[in-house]
Amino acid sequence: MPKAAPLYELQKKRLDAYMDAGYNFDPDKAADYTPDAGWRVDDYETELPTEAPGPAEAQGSWAAAREVLRNYTFPPPNLITGIFLPDQPLDQRVMVLRGRFLLFTFWFGVRIGAVTDETRTLADGSQEQVWGYNYRTLEGHFERGQIDFSVHKNLTTGRVWFHIHAYSQTGRISNPFYWLGFRLFGRMLQKRFATQSMKRLREQVEEMLRKGWTSPAAQQAPPVQSVSAQEEAREQLREST
């Protein structure tokens, strides 16, 4: 049987459509996006295998997590799959997210807003090595906001962990069916995405360490399924592309 084409080739038209799309919120006003202003602000964290004190090891837990983050293999594919050009620089990456909700498949666009690669001094005087990035929602997304993914190592203790920080708000949804669905299930899906992403990243890091630091294949995910044949799904697809 012929080998299936990679997702970024199958979804080239959608990727092209989002390359010049604008954000559906103003990232410069991030300080105003608080719970009092009607935004959800979330933080999640999970422990990863520890390392010896000192800078991150070349083939250790921190470096393995960095590769999992870079390849975006940690989100649960039954909820979200990221599709992007593998040779595009990370700080310029645009992704099409294939989301699954109820009986439908949806397509959303996001863009990497910033990449972090630094050593920070903590309040107790110790230092931590941090790598990560954020992505921001583009026009047509059902939500608006930003999510940050980062891997940290305390250089004094050797502790390594993965952190998710996000602020979000339901975006403009013209179809009342989808609006109601996201009102009822959107928060549950957000939490499931975060908890399953942490679990999958931890499992992939542990597997890489067991195998001697073997990186997962970029964009490892099931083949793309056709969008729902129902008219409502087709209507949403037209609105978001």
Side-chain angles (χ1 to χ4, degrees):
M1 294 181 61
K3 187 177 180 180
L7 294 179
Y8 63 86
E9 290 184 2
L10 295 174
Q11 301 303 325
K12 183 179 184 301
K13 289 184 178 179
R14 288 193 173 92
L15 280 168
D16 290 344
Y18 282 117
M19 287 300 175
D20 297 320
Y23 297 126
N24 61 358
F25 72 107
D26 186 351
D28 293 334
K29 297 182 178 179
D32 298 332
Y33 301 148
T34 65
D36 289 341
W39 290 72
R40 296 188 177 107
V41 179
D42 295 307
D43 285 279
Y44 301 91
E45 197 167 279
T46 189
E47 299 292 320
L48 299 176
T50 60
E51 296 183 6
E57 300 169 8
Q59 295 181 322
S61 174
W62 186 92
R66 180 183 58 187
E67 290 307 299
V68 174
L69 286 177
R70 193 193 308 273
N71 289 332
Y72 202 71
T73 56
F74 58 94
N78 62 317
L79 293 179
I80 293 290
T81 298
I83 304 168
F84 56 90
L85 299 176
D87 58 351
Q88 192 172 41
L90 178 61
D91 60 355
Q92 301 173 25
R93 180 183 295 176
V94 170
M95 288 200 294
V96 169
L97 302 183
R98 179 188 64 191
R100 287 170 171 160
F101 173 65
L102 297 178
L103 301 177
F104 304 112
T105 298
F106 303 111
W107 308 90
F108 304 115
V110 297
R111 178 180 292 115
I112 302 297
V115 177
T116 299
D117 186 4
E118 63 186 13
T119 299
R120 300 172 181 171
T121 300
L122 304 178
D124 62 1
S126 64
Q127 293 186 315
E128 65 173 5
Q129 191 170 347
V130 185
W131 189 92
Y133 59 85
N134 65 56
Y135 63 62
R136 298 163 176 170
T137 55
L138 299 176
E139 296 165 348
H141 204 297
F142 276 1
E143 292 183 319
R144 54 187 189 139
Q146 175 176 304
I147 185 166
D148 294 71
F149 306 104
S150 55
V151 56
H152 303 245
K153 178 181 179 180
N154 186 300
L155 304 186
T156 301
T157 66
R159 178 189 174 221
V160 181
W161 67 98
F162 171 47
H163 188 88
I164 300 175
H165 172 74
Y167 59 83
S168 63
Q169 188 181 69
T170 301
R172 179 181 175 274
I173 305 176
S174 58
N175 186 305
F177 175 80
Y178 301 123
W179 179 86
L180 178 61
F182 268 73
R183 289 278 295 183
L184 293 175
F185 302 108
R187 187 58 173 163
M188 177 190 71
L189 294 174
Q190 279 185 325
K191 293 180 178 180
R192 184 182 298 174
F193 169 82
T195 56
Q196 291 189 12
S197 290
M198 290 189 298
K199 180 176 181 290
R200 283 174 53 84
L201 183 135
R202 186 172 60 248
E203 290 174 347
Q204 289 182 38
V205 167
E206 291 171 348
E207 181 179 8
M208 290 167 70
L209 296 179
R210 283 196 304 269
K211 291 183 175 180
W213 219 126
T214 301
S215 176
Q219 296 188 269
Q220 177 183 356
V224 172
Q225 301 297 320
S226 299
V227 70
S228 169
Q230 298 191 37
E231 177 56 31
E232 290 166 322
R234 293 198 299 269
E235 176 185 331
Q236 192 278 337
L237 179 59
R238 288 194 296 269
E239 293 173 353
S240 63
T241 58

